[in-house]
Amino acid sequence: MASVDGVGDSGFRFGNGRLCFTFTATLGDRGAPVPLERLAVPGDLARWCVEAGLLDETPPAGPAALAGARRLREAIDRAAEQVRTGASPRPQDVEILNDWAARPALAPQLDGTGGLGWRQEGAQVGHVLALVARDAVDVLTGPMRSRLRRCAGADCEGLFVDVSRPGNRRWCSMNTCGNRAKKAAYRQRHAQSA
């Protein structure tokens, strides 16, 4: 599961509020010359499914599942960027999103503590990706679409939904990008005054 600081055991980023954007964060540092690929091998995708809290056990994942997951991830990122800037998503991205969203997905369940759980019987990576796609469709077509943001953190450029009252949140996570930005500003102020 994700830790308090929003980073899971395998370096995955969590805590940005929406499943689809937690998934797009599997490609980190999008603004850097060389982005950080957190889904480097099929096992990484299987671990993400568990660390995201969607599956209890690591599902089988092969090269085809990984390739499909990466295509979905980038279609979500591009479509969200289009919607964020007031444009329509590209037809190719719409097709990818709709294809995944139409597939069988994990079913929500009430767990023993009264919280949200997911039906596990026979769950595969494809069921998780279908759930991710459905979340993306919900965000991109729902009332929060006007609150889509890109992180202002150096090199991050991660997507998030700004749910702050004034609507002026700048970072995908205060515990990661926001903290780094504030530390850098602090060091700069103290270097200038020295």
Side-chain angles (χ1 to χ4, degrees), residues 41-127:
V41 297
D44 294 336
L45 174 59
R47 279 191 303 281
W48 183 85
C49 293
V50 173
E51 286 192 39
L54 300 172
L55 298 178
D56 294 333
E57 295 180 11
T58 306
L66 179 61
R70 286 178 176 171
R71 275 192 301 279
L72 174 61
R73 177 187 69 193
E74 296 313 305
I76 293 169
D77 188 78
R78 288 187 301 264
E81 181 62 18
Q82 292 294 106
V83 169
R84 187 183 77 78
T85 59
S88 295
R90 297 177 1 186
Q92 305 93 308
D93 296 329
V94 169
E95 184 178 341
I96 292 169
L97 277 164
N98 287 341
D99 177 58
W100 277 105
R103 297 179 189 191
L106 294 176
Q109 304 284 303
L110 188 63
D111 72 12
T113 65
L116 178 64
W118 301 99
R119 187 175 185 147
Q120 302 288 315
E121 296 171 29
Q124 300 291 318
V125 169
H127 296 105

Side-chain angles (χ1 to χ4, degrees), residues 3-190:
S3 66
V4 175
D5 65 0
V7 178
D9 299 337
S10 298
F12 296 122
R13 301 275 307 266
F14 296 100
N16 62 4
R18 291 304 294 235
L19 178 62
C20 61
F21 297 146
T22 295
F23 188 63
T24 61
T26 60
L27 183 69
D29 301 334
R30 286 180 179 271
V34 179
L36 172 62
E37 179 58 78
R38 294 184 176 107
L39 297 180
V41 297
D44 294 336
L45 174 59
R47 279 191 303 281
W48 183 85
C49 293
V50 173
E51 286 192 39
L54 300 172
L55 298 178
D56 294 333
E57 295 180 11
T58 306
L66 179 61
R70 286 178 176 171
R71 275 192 301 279
L72 174 61
R73 177 187 69 193
E74 296 313 305
I76 293 169
D77 188 78
R78 288 187 301 264
E81 181 62 18
Q82 292 294 106
V83 169
R84 187 183 77 78
T85 59
S88 295
R90 297 177 1 186
Q92 305 93 308
D93 296 329
V94 169
E95 184 178 341
I96 292 169
L97 277 164
N98 287 341
D99 177 58
W100 277 105
R103 297 179 189 191
L106 294 176
Q109 304 284 303
L110 188 63
D111 72 12
T113 65
L116 178 64
W118 301 99
R119 187 175 185 147
Q120 302 288 315
E121 296 171 29
Q124 300 291 318
V125 169
H127 296 105
V128 171
L129 296 178
L131 185 67
V132 168
R134 289 177 186 187
D135 185 58
V137 169
D138 181 57
V139 171
L140 299 178
T141 62
M144 297 308 282
R145 67 185 281 146
S146 64
R147 293 278 187 129
L148 291 175
R149 306 283 187 268
R150 283 261 182 215
C151 182
D155 295 335
C156 178
E157 295 187 12
L159 289 162
F160 65 94
V161 176
D162 181 0
V163 294
S164 69
R165 186 176 297 220
N168 60 3
R169 188 172 134 198
R170 298 182 54 209
W171 298 288
C172 61
S173 170
M174 202 50 218
N175 293 328
T176 51
C177 294
N179 194 29
R180 274 189 233 136
K182 288 185 178 229
K183 283 181 181 178
Y186 176 81
R187 283 192 292 268
Q188 185 177 14
R189 280 193 308 272
H190 284 283

